């Protein structure tokens, strides 16, 4: 997969790929949006906010499991 960067507008749920990439035979794209996440929108994996400051992990205990 090649790295390509261009600006496009989503129209009717489709992104028009510039002809120069189509002529070069590029057929796979990964879309990396530069827009920040909307404020207040829940994340897919929320932060768990677990405190592990006082916890000591013992390798022997982990192997016993």
């Amino acid at each position: 997969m090649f790295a390509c960067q261009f600006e496009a507008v989503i129209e009717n749920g489709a992104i028009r790929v510039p002809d120069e990439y189509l002529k070069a035979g590029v057929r796979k794209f990964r879309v990396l949006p530069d827009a920040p996440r909307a404020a207040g929108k829940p994340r897919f994996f929320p932060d768990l906010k677990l405190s592990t400051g006082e916890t000591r992990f013992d390798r022997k205990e982990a192997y016993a499991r």
Side-chain angles (χ1 to χ4, degrees):
M1 184 179 312
F2 295 98
C4 305
Q5 183 176 357
F6 60 89
E7 290 187 21
V9 177
I10 300 173
E11 296 176 4
N12 297 325
I15 298 173
R16 186 178 179 317
V17 178
D19 292 334
E20 62 189 86
Y21 298 114
L22 295 175
K23 289 177 184 176
V26 179
R27 294 290 179 239
K28 284 185 161 185
F29 285 91
R30 180 178 296 155
V31 177
L32 303 173
D34 61 350
R37 179 180 294 278
K41 186 174 181 180
R43 296 176 59 155
F44 187 71
F45 292 109
D47 296 334
L48 297 178
K49 294 183 174 59
L50 296 176
S51 175
T52 59
E54 298 294 322
T55 306
R56 297 288 178 237
F57 295 99
D58 184 7
R59 186 176 301 268
K60 292 178 184 176
E61 180 187 343
Y63 287 141
R65 293 182 196 176

